[in-house]
């Protein structure tokens, strides 16, 4: 069988990188006369090439055994670091998802960034992201996954900071970089500690090692916790979740990527590391705990937001929490499937919201209203995205959520409750958003709201079609269970929670009899969730305060103690020179005296041996 | 009479000379103290020449040279004192501390 495309799959990240480099000349400072649009077209083209390449490669590897490629990257002394690639159906499907979503986001950006001059920078960063994520899904080495994660962290910083003349953008980019960096650094500790233990960074070999190893449980626990910390920050899990909220200051097409795949990069590494993480039951429980806390907490926060982008971003955290639960309970394949269905649904939601935000200027949910009659396409897309995200048969996430829930039914039934709650909360939150945006009467901000340009609507509708076809695709791939195999004890609560969430939200927000804006009886509780558990203040009084205090103390020590000791030497020298010069009295007789004293002293010292010999 | 007594006398005279050299405020008296010290040296030379080298008496030759050179030195010294005196109208040693720190 011809394997041209699957053997050259490593070209896919390079297409994006070439696009990134080619976009640079259209920066306003270099090509001054033509405007920045060609950079966008070029990158879209490169992404399209990557998409086609991955598609052809997928055809080749379909039902073929997994292949591995390996390039030597560094050979020094006893350390040999190779760049391993895995060519399998899973990696190439992920590649397809990455390049597909990038392609869609880039077309979307052609419409969204219409009135913006920064296309070169924007598309360059999007392409960097695409390259990074393609490398990440292809590479079969923890070390290079880490490398890519760090590059993506830098990319996040730059992409969020695209419009850096806005102060909130600057602080948001800062927080996103630092928060993700902290996680990545702890991940690095785990990565470094893993090499002496396992002797390899190759995921496949790590899995074999994890099956046979008998390391100390404490070591295993610490190692696994360190390995979890990276994805914890990447996936915006508690308590490293604030960055995703602030990252919503960035441009919308970037948000599509961030909410769907960038946060999934952490989950991807987590899924790949699942055999290692299974070494420590404590780490698995920790993951489940973090995932469950985040899922429920973020689900509640999402309901209390009035900023549409932020409301969605907390749903992202919640779903990543579900992925954490899946990995923590050793369901890595299901976690991958959940990532897929989730990414499709969330991209659809963000695209629909982006069109709304672009034409109505405001992002405030309380300023929206009555768009259903004027924006039916966006509305339908939002509905399909929402239905695909929650357990709404027969759309995407229904299958993955129920699959996960039925697998957990016997081992950890209490997690079913988490799933049901999160599903209900997400359903409530999405319906609330839908009702506030599309339902009710038009408000001043939404009186005139035309549907977006073709570049906004086309990718959105295409994605809607794809989302609708996800169940058919899954069935085609043989990933769907038979109807009679469904575990009704978990399916029914999940579906009921969906309908309860949707129904409750629709009842509250589409009902004119209930006064808007809604105020909860304990106002403090509403504020608690609206200000996302006061995380910003929490950071400020804990870690930021401590680090700030310590750095001030260290700066003080450096300035006054360390510098002071050295300066003291100089001062002492100056002082002694200044005081000793008075020896030069200008009086000849004192010089004579000092000469005589010197001679006398010298003679005295010279005579000491003779004096000692004298015996009295 | 022994050599030691001459040497002790020379040493005593030398010490007196040093005392005078270091403590005198009058520049001429400083020169006089130097003369004392030179004479103490001469006593030493004469003593050694007499007791240790009576045959060739090289010490006495040295003494003659020292007296000669001391005379020349005193002449130059007095000339210097006179030169300073013409400028500064004093020969007080404590007024000559211009070249300090």
């Amino acid at each position: 069988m011809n394997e041209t495309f699957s053997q050259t799959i490593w070209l896919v990240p390079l297409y994006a990188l070439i696009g990134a480099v080619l976009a640079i000349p259209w920066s306003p400072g270099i090509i001054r006369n033509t405007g920045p649009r060609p950079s966008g077209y070029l990158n879209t083209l490169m992404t399209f090439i990557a998409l086609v390449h991955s598609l052809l490669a997928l055809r080749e590897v379909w039902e073929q055994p997994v292949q591995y490629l390996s390039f030597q990257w560094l050979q020094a002394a006893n350390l040999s670091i190779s760049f391993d690639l895995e060519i399998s159906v899973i990696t190439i499907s992920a590649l397809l998802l990455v390049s597909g979503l990038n392609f869609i986001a880039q077309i979307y950006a052609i419409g969204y960034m219409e009135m913006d001059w920064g296309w070169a920078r924007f598309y360059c960063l999007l392409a960097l992201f695409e390259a990074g994520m393609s490398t990440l899904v292809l590479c079969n080495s923890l070390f290079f996954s880490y490398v890519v994660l760090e590059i993506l962290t830098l990319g996040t910083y730059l992409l969020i900071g695209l419009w850096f003349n806005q102060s909130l953008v600057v602080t948001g980019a800062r927080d996103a970089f630092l928060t993700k960096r902290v996680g990545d650094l702890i991940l690095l500790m785990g990565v470094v500690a893993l090499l002496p233990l396992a002797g390899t960074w190759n995921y496949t070999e790590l899995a074999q090692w994890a099956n046979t190893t008998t390391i100390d449980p404490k070591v295993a626990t610490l190692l696994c916790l360190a390995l979890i910390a990276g994805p914890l920050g990447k996936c915006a899990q508690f308590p490293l979740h604030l960055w995703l909220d602030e990252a919503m200051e960035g441009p919308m097409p970037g948000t599509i990527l961030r909410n769907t795949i960038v946060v999934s990069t952490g989950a991807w590494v987590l899924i790949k590391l699942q055999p290692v993480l299974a070494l420590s039951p404590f780490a698995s429980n920790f993951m489940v705990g973090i995932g469950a806390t985040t899922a429920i907490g973020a689900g509640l926060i999402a309901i209390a937001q009035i900023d549409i982008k932020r409301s969605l971003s907390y749903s992202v955290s919640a779903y990543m929490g579900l992925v954490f639960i899946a990995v923590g309970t050793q369901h890595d394949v299901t976690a991958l499937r959940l990532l897929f269905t989730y990414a499709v649904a969330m991209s659809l939601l963000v695209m629909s919201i982006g069109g709304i935000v672009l034409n109505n200027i405001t992002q405030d949910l309380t300023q929206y209203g009555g768009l259903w009659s004027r924006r039916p396409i966006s509305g339908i897309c939002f509905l399909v995205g929402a239905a695909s995200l929650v357990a709404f048969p027969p759309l995407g996430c229904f299958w993955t959520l129920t699959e996960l829930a039925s697998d957990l039914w016997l081992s950890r039934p209490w997690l079913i409750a988490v799933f049901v709650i999160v599903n209900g909360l997400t359903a409530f939150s999405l319906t609330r958003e839908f009702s506030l945006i599309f339902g009710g009467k038009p408000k001043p901000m939404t009186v005139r709201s035309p549907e977006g340009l073709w570049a906004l609507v086309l990718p959105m509708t295409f994605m809607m079609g794809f989302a609708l076809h996800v169940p058919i695709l899954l069935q085609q791939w043989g990933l769907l269970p038979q109807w009679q195999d469904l575990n009704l004890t978990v399916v029914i609560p999940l579906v009921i929670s969906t309908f309860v969430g949707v129904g409750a939200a629709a009842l509250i927000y589409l009902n004119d009899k209930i006064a808007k804006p809604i105020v909860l009886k304990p106002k403090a509780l509403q504020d608690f969730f609206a200000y996302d558990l006061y995380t910003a203040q929490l950071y400020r009084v804990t870690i930021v305060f401590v680090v700030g205090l310590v750095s001030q103390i260290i700066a003080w020590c450096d300035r006054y103690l360390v510098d002071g000791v050295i300066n003291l030497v100089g001062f002492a020298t100056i002082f002694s020179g200044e005081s000793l010069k008075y020896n030069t009295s200008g009086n000849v007789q004192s010089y004579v005296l000092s000469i005589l004293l010197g001679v006398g002293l010298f003679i005295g010292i010279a005579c000491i041996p003779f004096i000692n010999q004298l015996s009295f | 009479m022994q050599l030691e007594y001459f040497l002790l006398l020379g040493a005593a005279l030398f010490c007196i000379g040093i005392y005078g050299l270091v403590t005198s405020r009058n520049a001429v008296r400083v020169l006089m103290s130097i003369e004392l010290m030179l004479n103490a040296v001469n006593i030493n030379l004469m003593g050694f020449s007499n007791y240790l080298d009576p045959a060739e008496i090289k010490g006495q030759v040295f003494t003659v040279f020292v007296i000669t050179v001391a005379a020349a030195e005193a002449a130059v010294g007095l000339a210097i004192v006179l030169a300073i005196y013409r400028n500064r109208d004093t020969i007080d040693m404590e007024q000559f501390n211009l070249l300090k720190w």
Side-chain angles (χ1 to χ4, degrees):
Chain A
M1 178 157 182
N2 188 11
E3 292 191 333
T4 327
F5 289 106
S6 65
Q7 287 301 310
T8 54
I9 196 70
W10 47 269
L11 277 171
V12 172
L14 291 184
Y15 294 140
L17 272 187
I18 292 169
V21 174
L22 289 183
I24 294 174
W26 279 278
S27 305
I30 301 175
I31 294 183
R32 289 164 180 274
N33 296 331
T34 63
R37 300 185 75 92
S39 62
Y41 302 146
L42 237 157
N43 268 296
T44 315
L45 180 70
M46 293 315 273
T47 310
F48 184 67
I49 294 173
L51 182 66
V52 171
H53 190 137
S54 334
L55 201 59
L56 293 172
L58 185 66
R59 272 189 59 202
E60 286 174 8
V61 299
W62 194 254
E63 292 181 344
Q64 298 289 316
V66 181
Q67 297 176 53
Y68 298 101
L69 287 181
S70 183
F71 304 97
Q72 188 70 34
W73 181 67
L74 177 78
Q75 174 83 51
N78 290 326
L79 183 69
S80 161
I81 300 179
S82 57
F83 186 69
D84 302 329
L85 295 181
E86 180 185 323
I87 305 171
S88 67
V89 178
I90 291 177
T91 58
I92 295 190
S93 308
L95 207 57
L96 201 58
L97 184 69
V98 166
S99 42
L101 280 173
N102 262 288
F103 183 56
I104 280 176
Q106 284 173 346
I107 293 179
Y108 190 83
I110 290 176
Y112 196 88
M113 305 293 276
E114 179 72 34
M115 307 293 264
D116 194 285
W117 271 90
W119 280 38
R121 205 147 48 90
F122 179 71
Y123 274 95
C124 181
L125 290 169
L126 280 194
L128 179 71
F129 265 98
E130 190 196 340
M133 287 182 294
S134 307
T135 317
L136 182 79
V137 295
L138 277 179
C139 87
N140 194 29
S141 149
L142 178 59
F143 179 76
F144 281 98
S145 296
Y146 173 75
V147 171
V148 173
L149 280 189
E150 284 290 15
I151 295 174
L152 290 184
T153 303
L154 177 66
T156 308
Y157 177 71
L158 297 173
L159 186 56
I160 296 173
L162 188 79
W163 295 318
F164 51 77
N165 56 354
Q166 299 177 19
S167 57
L168 282 176
V169 165
V170 177
T171 54
R174 174 200 66 192
D175 289 354
F177 184 73
L178 292 180
T179 314
K180 289 169 78 169
R181 196 85 173 80
V182 166
D184 285 348
L185 271 184
I186 302 176
L187 174 65
L188 180 64
M189 291 181 205
V191 171
V192 171
L194 197 55
L195 188 66
L197 291 171
T200 175
W201 276 320
N202 185 302
Y203 285 124
T204 324
E205 292 166 22
L206 279 178
Q208 289 164 0
W209 168 77
N211 281 333
T212 56
T213 186
T214 51
I215 57 170
D216 185 15
K218 273 185 196 142
V219 175
T221 304
L222 285 175
L223 177 73
C224 295
L225 287 181
L227 293 177
I228 292 169
L232 187 83
K234 275 277 170 201
C235 292
Q237 297 294 292
F238 280 179
L240 301 180
H241 64 283
L242 186 68
W243 73 267
L244 189 63
D245 172 279
E246 296 185 26
M248 295 301 125
E249 298 292 341
M252 203 66 162
T255 309
I256 298 176
L257 291 179
R258 188 166 330 104
N259 280 4
T260 52
I261 28 187
V262 175
V263 287
S264 307
T265 53
W268 178 269
V269 173
L270 201 69
I271 291 167
K272 284 275 199 177
L273 281 174
Q274 189 268 333
V276 178
L277 298 177
L279 283 175
S280 158
F282 177 79
S284 295
N285 288 332
F286 178 73
M287 245 190 294
V288 173
I290 287 284
T293 318
T294 311
I296 294 178
L300 286 168
I301 295 171
I303 293 175
Q305 297 297 308
I306 59 162
D307 183 324
I308 175 62
K309 287 176 82 177
R310 280 156 211 265
S311 187
L312 280 180
S313 84
Y314 281 103
S315 295
V316 172
S317 281
Y319 266 70
M320 287 298 122
L322 297 186
V323 175
F324 260 63
I325 293 178
V327 180
T329 51
Q330 279 80 46
H331 292 99
D332 41 333
V333 180
T334 320
L336 275 178
R337 242 171 266 165
L338 179 60
L339 277 184
F340 168 67
T341 51
Y342 149 82
V344 172
M346 185 50 86
S347 63
L348 191 52
L349 285 172
V350 181
M351 275 192 277
S352 162
I353 290 312
I356 303 285
V357 170
L358 185 64
N359 283 351
N360 294 303
I361 301 161
T362 180
Q363 287 174 217
D364 190 341
L365 277 171
T366 59
Q367 308 281 338
Y368 287 127
L371 287 180
W372 178 251
S373 55
R374 265 99 29 83
R375 304 290 295 268
I377 303 176
S378 294
I380 292 169
C381 286
F382 190 95
L383 277 184
V384 171
S388 308
L389 194 61
V390 295
F392 184 85
L395 289 173
C397 277
F398 168 74
W399 299 105
T400 42
L401 285 177
T402 50
E403 187 183 351
L404 205 50
S406 11
D407 288 342
L408 293 172
W409 172 243
L410 291 177
S411 53
R412 304 186 198 206
W414 64 274
L415 279 178
I416 310 296
V418 173
F419 278 84
V420 170
I421 292 171
V422 172
N423 186 51
L425 289 176
T426 311
F428 186 95
S429 156
L430 293 174
T431 314
R432 167 178 173 266
E433 286 155 20
F434 179 82
S435 312
L436 285 175
I437 296 173
F438 296 99
K441 300 262 182 321
K443 302 247 175 73
M445 297 297 279
T446 60
V447 171
R448 295 185 193 85
S449 180
E451 193 60 85
L453 287 176
W454 66 269
L456 294 176
V457 175
L458 189 70
M460 184 164 73
T461 44
F462 178 81
M463 205 63 208
M464 177 177 73
F466 190 72
L468 290 173
H469 281 80
V470 161
I472 300 170
L473 280 175
L474 288 175
Q475 193 170 31
Q476 201 71 28
W477 295 333
L479 297 176
L480 287 194
Q482 296 299 314
W483 281 102
Q484 60 268 23
D485 292 344
L486 280 177
N487 186 348
L488 288 181
T489 39
V490 300
V491 170
I492 290 172
L494 274 174
V495 176
I496 287 178
S497 77
T498 306
F499 284 108
V500 167
V502 171
L507 201 67
I508 294 171
Y509 290 97
L510 291 178
N511 185 352
D512 285 339
K513 295 211 177 77
I514 299 173
K516 311 287 184 308
I518 292 176
V519 180
L520 276 187
K521 205 63 206 145
K523 185 75 167 56
L525 188 71
Q526 191 178 7
D527 284 347
F528 183 62
F529 289 114
Y531 291 101
D532 49 55
L533 320 183
Y534 297 109
T535 310
Q537 284 85 341
L538 190 70
Y539 287 172
R540 208 168 294 138
V541 300
T542 54
I543 191 79
V544 175
F545 174 74
V546 170
V547 173
L549 190 67
V550 168
S551 45
Q552 273 178 351
I553 291 172
I554 291 177
W556 185 89
C557 286
D558 186 48
R559 200 185 172 97
Y560 293 101
L561 297 187
V562 178
D563 286 6
V565 168
I566 305 301
N567 285 348
L568 187 65
V569 174
F571 277 126
T573 318
I574 291 172
F575 177 76
S576 52
E578 282 291 325
S579 50
L580 285 175
K581 73 181 181 188
Y582 294 109
N583 278 342
T584 314
S585 60
N587 204 332
V588 182
Q589 287 163 303
S590 70
Y591 303 160
V592 173
L593 182 63
S594 52
I595 288 170
L596 288 168
L597 287 177
V599 170
L601 197 66
F602 178 72
I603 291 172
I605 291 171
C607 289
I608 286 174
F610 302 107
I611 294 168
N612 284 341
Q613 280 176 3
L614 292 178
S615 52
F616 293 102
Chain B
M1 297 294 273
Q2 294 177 18
L3 176 59
E4 283 86 353
Y5 296 138
F6 284 92
L7 297 187
L8 281 174
L9 175 69
L13 198 59
F14 193 79
C15 287
I16 293 167
I18 285 173
Y19 179 76
L21 178 69
V22 174
T23 55
S24 308
R25 291 186 66 176
N26 190 321
V28 178
R29 201 196 274 177
V30 172
L31 288 179
M32 288 162 70
S33 304
I34 293 174
E35 287 300 320
L36 274 187
M37 289 158 69
L38 287 168
N39 283 331
V41 170
N42 287 343
I43 289 174
N44 269 15
L45 288 173
M46 290 299 283
F48 279 121
S49 131
N50 207 27
Y51 285 94
L52 299 182
D53 186 26
E56 293 193 0
I57 51 171
K58 282 176 280 201
Q60 295 190 14
V61 180
F62 275 127
T63 309
V64 170
F65 272 95
V66 170
I67 291 170
T68 318
V69 174
E73 176 250 296
V76 175
L78 283 169
I80 291 172
V81 170
L82 200 61
I84 292 179
Y85 176 73
R86 282 187 178 155
N87 269 330
R88 299 185 56 84
D89 252 352
T90 176
I91 51 168
D92 185 351
M93 287 298 277
E94 297 194 356
Q95 301 296 315
F96 300 152
N97 59 352
L98 298 176
L99 292 175
K100 60 185 177 186
W101 53 83

